Amino acid sequence: MSDESLTPDTIWEHDLFNRRDEAELLIGYLESVAYRPNIREDKQGFTLAVDARYGEGKTFFLRRFAEHLAINHPVAFVDAWADDLADEPLTALAATLKKALDPLFGKAGGVEDKFNAAMEKAGQIAKIVGGGLLKKGAALLITAGAADAAAEVLAGAGEEVKDALKDGIKDSGKDAVEIADKVFTSVAPRKLMNDRIKRFEDGQAAIADLKDSLASLVAALDGQSLQAPIYIVIDELDRCRPTYAIKLLEEIKHLFDVPGLVFVLGLHGEQLAHSVSGAYGATFDGQSYLRRFFNRQYALAEPELGTLLQKLCENAGILEGPFTYTPITTAETEIQTVTLPQILSVYMSAYGLPARSAFEVVDILQTSAVVANQRGSLHLNYLLPLIFGHIYGLPSGEIAKVKENCRFLAYIDTDHFGRNGREVSFDAVAELYRKASLMDYNALTAAQNVDKPNLGVKAVAYGRQNFDREKNLWSVDNYPKLIKTVARFKNPSFDA
């Protein structure tokens, strides 16, 4: 993966979220701990989970993090979701390792020979697993605890030990349990059992040989242009089928757990744990199960909201969209006329929405502009609190409320010439629209006939007087209906 033309400056050139600092922090950490003795004898390599929700720039970060690492180390990047189709994580991991080491092949030091030796051992394991006791899920050969249980069964233990074996292979997936049931009912001849014992022994020996070969491969990097540790960066683990994700984690743990190999896994931990629990049953503790595969979990910092919204609005093509909104102010600042990304940033902060919600907010606004078929502007001082209420799960038409510590205010005109105005809270200005939308004809007419109708009355009256109130979703009266309509265009990624 190494490219001599890449430098940290070019790699992070379009880093909107200032992830470079996090990348350099993690690189320093990983290089310091990769060879640190582990207090657990069954953990020799190092696995880091980079945890982030959808929309927080995890894939952007991991791809550039891999490029940054590749300046000095053998590195390969894997999209686990794409490889999920093959259903062979061992093959995917072997191919990935080859890709990481390819720049060193054909050079002195024997790296290519060491790699080929390791792949021969991996091939033996793949062959044994493919024809072994379990042809689905992670085979018993890979799970040491299950192998011990199997040995007891083969020694003639009773039904309770068979049950223990079944429990042990639950880590390999539900299919494994079903196959085990068939195996237990069909096994009788001693020769068959001897063959399986031999297969177990061959598998265990192959795993030990593979780890020895991988250790030799790491040692062969001494003096090379790319130094140990070897990094395997795997993204999209939480989007895989749970059974595939589990198989991949099991094979990393049991086959590639060697000093000098570092795995960096990109995932949304909560989502992956939920998927694992769904595969094994509601009472299964997916969080605890996953923790045993990771040495450390690192949570990406939330991105800066204003920069994110600027990029999202550009991508959605709504920077010049059909939106209107008031200037804003605080006790410490002058009245400011702001851009669309700025007003969205201020409003999201005021209503307590995290940066990841920016994707959904911009998506709703872009879809609203399309489906409303507007003949006027969409008033964000009212539409945004309704959108936020929808995101928070409030009843249809109910507006969200600003947080108690909100320091932002809307500035609204109080005369016809815009020479005078007053500062009001975001809640108060949204309420002007809501109350006007509830007025009947007579009340609305009376409200218009005052010296200076408020902006809510003017907006509602414009929609009612000029167009069919019932059919036009862009009309202020119909904003709750507009949001319900837009919600039917749901983007499933926002649940991730």
Side-chain angles (χ1 to χ4, degrees), residues 248-260:
L248 178 60
L249 290 171
E250 287 281 3
E251 295 190 3
I252 290 173
K253 176 181 178 182
H254 294 293
L255 303 182
F256 292 84
D257 190 24
V258 174

Side-chain angles (χ1 to χ4, degrees), residues 75-116:
V75 180
F77 184 91
V78 183
D79 184 333
W81 193 32
D83 293 337
D84 184 359
L85 293 175
D87 200 29
E88 294 182 358
L90 178 57
T91 302
L93 290 171
T96 297
L97 189 59
K98 180 179 185 297
K99 184 177 180 181
L101 295 167
D102 190 64
L104 301 178
F105 287 177
K107 298 181 179 180
V111 172
E112 186 170 8
D113 291 341
K114 298 294 185 182
F115 171 80
N116 290 333

Side-chain angles (χ1 to χ4, degrees), residues 389-403:
H390 166 73
I391 292 174
Y392 279 130
L394 301 180
S396 176
E398 187 170 329
I399 58 178
K401 301 297 182 182
V402 298
K403 301 302 178 183

Side-chain angles (χ1 to χ4, degrees), residues 445-468:
T445 301
Q448 286 182 274
N449 291 331
V450 301
D451 180 54
K452 172 65 178 177
N454 69 54
L455 71 175
V457 168
K458 290 194 296 183
V460 171
Y462 176 81
R464 291 187 189 178
Q465 292 170 358
N466 293 279
F467 306 101
D468 186 337

